[in-house]
Amino acid sequence: MRVEITVNGQPHTREVEPRLLLVHFLRDVLSLTGTHVGCDTSSCGACTVLLDGMAVKSCTVLTAQADGCAVTTIEGLAGQDGLSPVQEGFRQCHGLQCGFCTPGMVMAATALLTERPDPSEQEIRNGLKGNMCRCTGYQMIVESVQWAAANGGAR
C-alpha cells in the first residue's frame, strides 16, 4: 500500500506492506536508526517517537496507521542552533550510560514537556514510566528532564 508520512519535516511517499511496523519503516526504509528496537513487545520504550506530537512506541504502530501523519524521531529534535533542551539536559546531567534507551527517553521527555512545561519530579517519573533503562537508576534521567524544563523545555 502507498503511504505518505512526514518524518522530521520531510515528506516521504513509499509503497509498504500493510503489516510493516513504523519502527521498521523508520530504520529499514528511511535509514533513521536512532529509533531503537529493544524488546519487540512494547515493554521498553526504546522505539518511542512522536506521532503528531504524541509519544508512541513505534513497535506498536503500523506504518499504514501513520499515513498522513507527522513523525518526529530523535534525529529530528536538534535544530540548526544545536541540541534541543531535552538533549542538552541529558548531556549536562549525564542522563545516560550505555545510551540504548536514550532516544526513547528523550522523545518521551519531549512529549511530556510539551504537555507539562514545568512538571514535578513525580510527574516526570510518571511520564517516563513506559521507558526502561537498565543502567542509570533513573535519578539522572529525572534531573536531565528537570534541567530541560528550566532551560527551554520541549522547544
Side-chain angles (χ1 to χ4, degrees):
M1 70 177 295
R2 180 184 171 122
V3 294
E4 295 180 15
I5 304 172
T6 300
V7 179
N8 299 330
Q10 300 293 330
H12 297 275
T13 302
R14 298 287 194 286
E15 292 290 328
V16 299
E17 291 188 34
R19 66 176 186 226
L20 182 67
L21 293 171
L22 182 58
V23 67
H24 297 300
F25 177 77
L26 296 170
R27 291 181 59 80
D28 302 335
V29 177
L30 300 184
S31 299
L32 295 171
T33 58
T35 302
H36 293 161
V37 178
C39 65
D40 281 329
T41 62
S42 78
S43 298
C44 74
C47 66
T48 302
V49 299
L50 303 182
L51 180 63
D52 286 340
M54 301 283 297
V56 299
K57 294 178 181 179
S58 60
C59 73
T60 65
V61 177
L62 295 170
T63 303
Q65 292 174 292
D67 186 29
C69 295
V71 175
T72 304
T73 69
I74 191 73
E75 291 93 343
L77 283 187
Q80 291 183 359
D81 55 341
L83 298 175
S84 76
V86 177
Q87 291 170 310
E88 184 63 25
F90 273 70
R91 189 176 80 79
Q92 291 291 329
C93 299
H94 309 287
L96 65 137
Q97 284 185 16
C98 82
F100 191 81
C101 71
T102 305
M105 288 284 187
V106 168
M107 299 310 293
T110 299
L112 171 67
L113 292 177
T114 298
E115 187 176 310
R116 301 192 70 76
D118 188 25
S120 68
E121 179 178 338
Q122 190 58 50
E123 288 171 325
I124 292 170
R125 289 183 184 280
N126 286 341
L128 299 177
K129 70 181 173 188
N131 293 71
M132 293 177 58
C133 176
R134 292 174 176 93
C135 301
T136 67
Y138 299 98
Q139 185 56 39
M140 294 171 120
I141 292 171
V142 171
E143 291 171 8
S144 300
V145 178
Q146 290 172 323
W147 188 97
N151 291 277
R155 185 170 26 118

